[in-house]
Amino acid sequence: MTAPEAGRGIGNGESSAEVTTTFGFPRDTFRILHVSTGNVCRSPITERLTRHFVSQRLGILGGGLIVESAGTWGHEGAPMEAHAETVLGDFGADATGFVGRELLDDHVIRADLVLTATRDHRAQVISMGHSAGLRTFTLKEFTRLVNAIDPATLPPLEDGLVMRARALVRAAAALRGWLLAPTAEADEVYDPYGAPLTFFRSIGDEIYEALDPVVTALTGVAARA
């Protein structure tokens, strides 16, 4: 098992004193892994926007939540694309210190929820094994399922963010076969790599619209008007 990379779980309160599972991973953390192709455009945007939106609602990125990203053909050690940084700045999110990563088995093993940009990415994650099927969704697929879940059926935030997040994933997985996408394209976030800033911004808007209800469900706190 490799140690968490510096900067990927900032402010998440991990410590060596945490109670661990038999696999050696913390029980009282919930790890979200965002996956795209190069890990320089879409998944960095979703990673940093998730952190930003959770922090906005809760005042801090904590409660055991860890948010990371990687790429199926990840540009290991590469910086985020400049237009992606601009999009994050548009939303007031921080791009500082980001470094691209190649998706590894260990990332999937450690993740409690994997959100991918496309169905192909989802299939690649699931093909890696590690019982990833029930916790791997495209971002837009997960949003569609989350929107159908009654928030009153989830544990209150007072019981802990980790408990609430785990219940949310179980409920979404149970609904997957019942709430199908209207079209195959409905679950895709297309790659803006090499495109002009205007297209990056349109992808950023898509990611924002998909993430907002997910973060609301996770935290039990709606975005401020």
Side-chain angles (χ1 to χ4, degrees):
M1 183 183 74
T2 58
E5 295 82 349
R8 308 303 291 201
I10 295 172
N12 293 293
E14 288 186 297
S15 75
S16 58
E18 288 176 318
V19 177
T20 58
T21 70
T22 55
F23 295 102
F25 301 128
R27 294 173 63 92
D28 50 355
T29 61
F30 186 88
R31 190 178 297 260
I32 301 174
L33 175 67
H34 293 289
V35 175
S36 62
T37 303
N39 194 215
V40 291
C41 299
R42 289 167 291 181
S43 52
I45 292 173
T46 50
E47 174 194 323
R48 294 305 176 95
L49 282 185
T50 301
R51 293 186 185 192
H52 180 63
F53 295 152
V54 171
S55 297
Q56 280 186 323
R57 286 162 170 75
L58 299 182
I60 187 172
L61 180 60
L65 184 66
I66 300 167
V67 186
E68 305 177 298
S69 64
T72 55
W73 291 89
H75 299 178
E76 188 73 31
M80 192 184 307
E81 282 290 295
H83 287 341
E85 288 195 25
T86 299
V87 167
L88 287 174
D90 291 343
F91 288 104
D94 186 12
T96 303
F98 181 85
V99 178
R101 303 192 303 179
E102 178 78 24
L103 180 67
L104 303 176
D105 287 66
D106 189 57
H107 301 146
V108 177
I109 291 168
R110 292 164 66 87
D112 298 288
L113 172 62
V114 184
L115 297 177
T116 70
T118 69
R119 292 168 298 145
D120 283 345
H121 296 133
R122 181 185 64 193
Q124 289 180 66
V125 171
I126 293 172
S127 73
M128 295 172 73
H130 315 302
S131 303
L134 290 176
R135 51 194 168 90
T136 303
F137 309 79
T138 73
L139 172 62
K140 289 185 176 181
E141 174 191 22
F142 193 66
T143 302
R144 182 175 68 253
L145 299 171
V146 163
N147 283 335
I149 296 169
D150 181 356
T153 64
L154 299 174
L157 190 59
E158 289 77 10
D159 289 349
L161 182 60
V162 170
M163 183 179 293
R164 184 180 177 91
R166 293 191 190 284
L168 182 66
V169 173
R170 289 194 299 268
L175 287 172
R176 194 191 326 239
W178 299 92
L179 293 175
L180 302 179
T183 65
E185 292 73 24
D187 282 344
E188 305 282 290
V189 176
Y190 291 108
D191 194 354
Y193 186 77
L197 179 57
T198 51
F199 188 66
F200 266 83
R201 282 184 162 137
S202 70
I203 293 299
D205 289 341
E206 284 186 36
I207 291 171
Y208 167 81
E209 291 174 6
L211 274 179
D212 181 68
V214 170
V215 174
T216 297
L218 277 171
T219 63
V221 180
R224 297 172 185 170

